[in-house]
Amino acid sequence: MTTANIFLDDLWQQVKHLVKKSEHFDDVIYNTYFDNTELANLNDKKAMITVTTSFQKLVLDNEVNFIASNLSRILNVDNIECEIVIKNKGQVIPASYVQPVKPVVIKTDGVNESQTFDNFVVGSSNKEVHSASLGCAYRPGQFFTPLFIYGNSGLGKTHLLHAIGNFVKKNNPDSNVLYISSSDFVRHVANSISNGTIENFKDEMNNLDVLLIDDIQFIAGKEKSHEIFFHIFNELVNNKKQIVITSDRLPTDIKGLEDRLISRFSSGLSVGVDSPEFETALAILYMKIRNQSLDENLFSDDSLAYIATHFSKDVRQLEGALNRLLFFSIEFSSNGQISLDTAVNAFKGDFTPPVDLNPKTIKKIVSDYYGLTVTQLIGKSRTKAISNARHIAIYLIRKHLDLPYNKIGEEFGKRDHSTIISACDKIEKGIIKDDILASAIKELETKLS
């Protein structure tokens, strides 16, 4: 059997599967008149289907539009015509008719051209993940695969995936790159199984040079998608292709993910990304201002510093705060430059302190003040911004609640009492020398009152 014939037979099996599933024909009609049909030849406009009897042709001649629609769906093309011919009746079909064309399941590479390494703001909170991502883009498949990027929503993980894709496409135009969310991956698997193109989908995935898959946590619990992804993952890794995966948590923390996938995700390099510290948040704000073609001089330094201080939990929050400030200044301010007073008034009422003072309350207030999550505050990250915030929270708990050092240590990931003592000493000495730190402590204590 020739390659062309193998293709036609495989394609026709997919069409028959789709037709049977549609229940357009009763089982007895399907089995009698359609099941033994064959796809003899195909080009980009017409398909020739063979039957064995004149009466079978008579029946199916009335169904050619339905048959053509199913064939078009598998091929993902429009306006395919079908002709029913009787087998062995002397019809001569030109050899040029055979043009095997596999249906395309994945339509585009999904890469957003506007998100590049050039417009990704690098700071201490994301320096490591930026470096790892750039390495993957520079030499796909050579340094570490998979690269697993984890962190809270809105910290630039998706931006890095697109940046990798754009870098590879620019420097290696022949590379086969795909960005896909895990939700779209699950949808493709379901649709491909439904319409009989799952083998084509797997072939397309296996032929990738770079796979960028976003929010892998949403694949959890999807058993069939687990199975398909597992084999695709192995195929790409074995062929030294590049895989980059993002998630809001480490592989071991994703509930509903198979152990074999956790093992493979953990086999490469896992890198976390934190909330931007003040300097990075400020740089992101200036980048957003330039991207909107706004005049930087429209904003006072204090107004942007206010946003960078209070809304640096993630990049989306920063952007939302900037847009709110712009709206407020247009609607309610007529002084020209956007000042600190304008910023304070724009967000008035957003920072109401809780009444009940306890370790949880203090940790939450300090986290919000520095744009962090409580998880980051009590976690193991030693980036300067997070460490400083952690030390301040420890100091405030000791000062205002007078808890034992070992008890405070339990509140911060079971740290030992010497670590807590050191943090308190550092802040007490820092207040004397550092006016900015002293001002921050004063403002935080106002929120605690």
Side-chain angles (χ1 to χ4, degrees):
M1 184 179 288
T2 66
T3 301
N5 287 336
I6 293 172
F7 166 78
L8 293 176
D9 184 61
D10 178 64
L11 175 62
W12 197 238
Q13 291 301 320
Q14 294 179 44
V15 173
K16 288 164 72 174
H17 173 78
L18 201 59
V19 168
K20 186 173 180 63
K21 187 176 178 181
S22 73
E23 298 183 349
H24 178 82
F25 298 122
D26 291 339
D27 286 346
V28 64
I29 298 296
Y30 175 89
N31 293 332
T32 303
Y33 298 114
F34 192 76
D35 189 45
N36 65 344
T37 58
E38 295 178 0
L39 180 59
N41 290 291
L42 172 70
N43 65 13
D44 58 352
K45 294 182 179 179
K46 190 172 184 179
M48 286 196 172
I49 302 159
T50 59
V51 297
T52 56
T53 68
S54 298
F55 192 74
Q56 188 179 7
K57 171 176 166 52
L58 182 64
V59 171
L60 293 184
D61 274 341
N62 292 308
E63 301 289 351
V64 288
N65 290 336
F66 172 72
I67 297 168
S69 68
N70 283 277
L71 179 58
S72 297
R73 181 178 172 187
I74 295 294
L75 291 172
N76 193 34
V77 296
D78 297 322
N79 303 320
I80 283 286
E81 296 180 9
C82 287
E83 180 181 356
I84 310 297
V85 298
I86 303 172
K87 198 172 184 178
N88 300 325
K89 287 293 182 180
Q91 288 84 0
V92 178
I93 303 171
S96 60
Y97 241 96
V98 179
Q99 294 183 4
V101 179
K102 281 192 174 184
V104 177
V105 179
I106 304 171
K107 308 300 188 300
T108 68
D109 63 30
V111 178
N112 183 345
E113 295 181 357
S114 68
Q115 294 184 309
T116 67
F117 285 115
D118 290 336
N119 56 26
F120 183 85
V121 178
V122 182
S124 60
S125 60
N126 58 25
K127 185 176 181 180
E128 184 182 7
V129 71
H130 171 267
S131 176
S133 299
L134 187 57
C136 286
Y138 181 61
R139 289 286 186 268
Q142 292 189 23
F143 294 138
F144 24 74
T145 189
L147 172 63
F148 194 97
I149 302 172
Y150 65 94
N152 291 335
S153 177
L155 297 180
K157 301 187 301 295
T158 299
H159 188 136
L160 285 171
L161 288 184
H162 289 297
I164 293 169
N166 281 309
F167 189 97
V168 173
K169 288 171 63 179
K170 178 181 178 181
N171 294 280
N172 301 284
D174 294 332
S175 293
N176 196 0
V177 179
L178 175 67
Y179 164 88
I180 188 171
S181 69
S182 64
S183 297
D184 281 343
F185 180 87
V186 171
R187 180 174 55 81
H188 274 305
V189 169
N191 290 343
S192 297
I193 292 173
S194 175
N195 61 30
T197 59
I198 189 62
E199 294 304 320
N200 300 109
F201 175 69
K202 289 193 290 187
D203 286 344
E204 290 177 35
M205 296 292 288
N206 289 338
N207 285 327
L208 293 173
D209 296 300
V210 179
L211 171 60
L212 311 164
I213 185 160
D214 209 0
D215 290 323
I216 196 67
Q217 68 271 13
F218 294 123
I219 203 175
K222 311 294 193 302
E223 292 183 8
K224 190 60 181 178
S225 295
H226 279 194
E227 182 72 24
I228 299 297
F229 189 77
F230 177 78
H231 292 294
I232 291 169
F233 183 99
N234 286 339
E235 181 74 15
L236 294 179
V237 170
N238 290 339
N239 290 320
K240 300 188 183 304
K241 306 301 183 180
Q242 183 64 56
I243 302 174
V244 186
I245 302 169
T246 71
S247 175
D248 61 354
R249 68 206 78 170
L250 281 164
T252 51
D253 295 333
I254 302 176
K255 295 181 180 179
L257 198 63
E258 291 182 0
D259 289 343
R260 59 180 180 172
L261 284 178
I262 293 174
S263 174
R264 277 156 179 78
F265 293 166
S266 303
S267 66
L269 175 66
S270 296
V271 187
V273 56
D274 290 325
S275 296
E277 69 286 350
F278 175 81
E279 291 81 3
T280 304
L282 198 59
I284 290 170
L285 287 172
Y286 278 113
M287 175 71 77
K288 297 293 182 184
I289 290 168
R290 289 192 292 272
N291 288 345
Q292 295 184 47
S293 300
L294 298 172
D295 183 0
E296 294 179 15
N297 295 321
L298 179 65
F299 302 86
S300 71
D301 292 341
D302 288 342
S303 67
L304 293 180
Y306 183 86
I307 295 178
T309 299
H310 292 93
F311 297 96
S312 58
K313 180 180 179 181
D314 59 60
V315 178
R316 294 192 189 105
Q317 190 183 68
L318 278 172
E319 187 170 20
L322 179 62
N323 291 335
R324 179 171 169 182
L325 178 59
L326 282 168
F327 172 79
F328 185 88
S329 67
I330 293 169
E331 292 293 320
F332 303 106
S333 178
S334 58
N335 298 328
Q337 190 183 53
I338 299 174
S339 66
L340 176 60
D341 287 341
T342 304
V344 171
N345 288 327
F347 301 100
K348 188 178 293 182
D350 280 15
F351 313 109
T352 304
V355 176
D356 184 24
L357 195 59
N358 54 49
K360 183 178 180 181
T361 299
I362 294 176
K363 286 188 288 186
K364 182 68 167 66
I365 289 174
V366 173
S367 297
D368 289 345
Y369 184 83
Y370 285 101
L372 305 172
T373 65
V374 174
T375 300
Q376 288 174 311
L377 190 72
I378 67 176
K380 295 181 180 180
S381 175
R382 295 185 178 181
T383 59
K384 184 177 179 181
I386 296 178
S387 293
N388 286 344
R390 185 182 299 129
H391 294 159
I392 289 171
I394 289 170
Y395 166 80
L396 291 173
I397 290 174
R398 175 66 179 175
K399 178 180 177 181
H400 291 275
L401 301 180
D402 197 27
L403 290 181
Y405 291 122
N406 62 339
K407 181 65 175 176
I408 299 174
E410 291 178 6
E411 294 285 343
F412 288 84
K414 296 183 178 180
R415 285 174 164 82
D416 61 53
H417 73 284
S418 62
T419 301
I420 304 303
I421 293 172
S422 175
C424 291
D425 288 345
K426 183 176 181 180
I427 299 301
E428 287 174 356
K429 293 176 182 177
I431 292 172
I432 299 172
K433 301 176 182 180
D434 189 339
D435 291 339
I436 295 176
L437 175 61
S439 177
I441 295 291
K442 185 177 180 180
E443 186 174 350
L444 282 165
E445 289 183 318
T446 300
K447 297 176 182 295
L448 297 178
S449 61

